[in-house]
Amino acid sequence: MIESFFGVFALAIVELWAAIPLGIHLKLHPGLLIVAASTGACLGAVIAMFLGNGLRRLMFWRKSKSKEGGRLSQWLAAKGPWAIGLLGPLLIGPVLSAGLAGAIGLPRAFSLALLAAGIVFWTVSFSMLGTFGLAALR
């Protein structure tokens, strides 16, 4: 059982949507599955956020003379953390969402908090759907 927990945790660091079916297949308790997948995905997101921030510094090493951005940068500053944090784990995965947030320079703490909330919400949703869906088929 501990091997299953750490296997799901390790896989969730890289890919959350593969870790949930693995936990269901290994007959991990839904509570443990949610904890393992959520914490693994959050760890992967934190790592990706720091790598994305470093990537942004490498790509945009020159300082822009213009202090104002265009419409897209204003939209990203206002709505970017919410969109990437809550919808990113579902649409493009938590690791890529965190890397994107770090690369475009969104506020790190706020983006990670929203990303963690999105990861937990989608992990609970899909874990329960998978567990109870399989139970209903039997």
Side-chain angles (χ1 to χ4, degrees):
M1 170 120 113
I2 193 83
E3 299 89 13
S4 301
F5 181 85
F6 283 117
V8 170
F9 174 80
L11 185 58
I13 291 173
V14 179
E15 182 57 46
L16 174 64
W17 304 123
I20 293 172
L22 176 67
I24 292 170
H25 175 73
L26 294 174
K27 294 179 177 55
L28 201 58
H29 186 272
L32 289 175
L33 171 61
I34 290 168
V35 169
S38 295
T39 54
C42 286
L43 178 63
V46 168
I47 292 168
M49 177 71 79
F50 285 106
L51 291 177
N53 199 6
L55 180 67
R56 181 179 59 85
R57 276 191 244 121
L58 282 176
M59 289 174 57
F60 304 110
W61 55 275
R62 288 185 276 160
K63 292 282 184 191
S64 172
K65 293 183 180 169
S66 167
K67 292 287 181 191
E68 294 182 27
R71 268 196 260 170
L72 183 61
S73 5
Q74 291 172 356
W75 183 86
L76 280 173
K79 307 228 180 343
W82 290 95
I84 290 176
L86 299 177
L87 290 176
L90 175 66
L91 299 176
I92 59 176
V95 174
L96 191 57
S97 298
L100 178 66
I104 61 177
L106 294 178
R108 188 180 298 164
F110 187 58
S111 296
L112 281 174
L114 286 174
L115 197 58
I119 287 169
V120 169
F121 175 76
W122 293 115
T123 302
V124 168
S125 300
F126 283 106
S127 296
M128 291 296 124
L129 281 173
T131 302
F132 293 134
L134 285 177
L137 290 175
R138 293 180 187 163

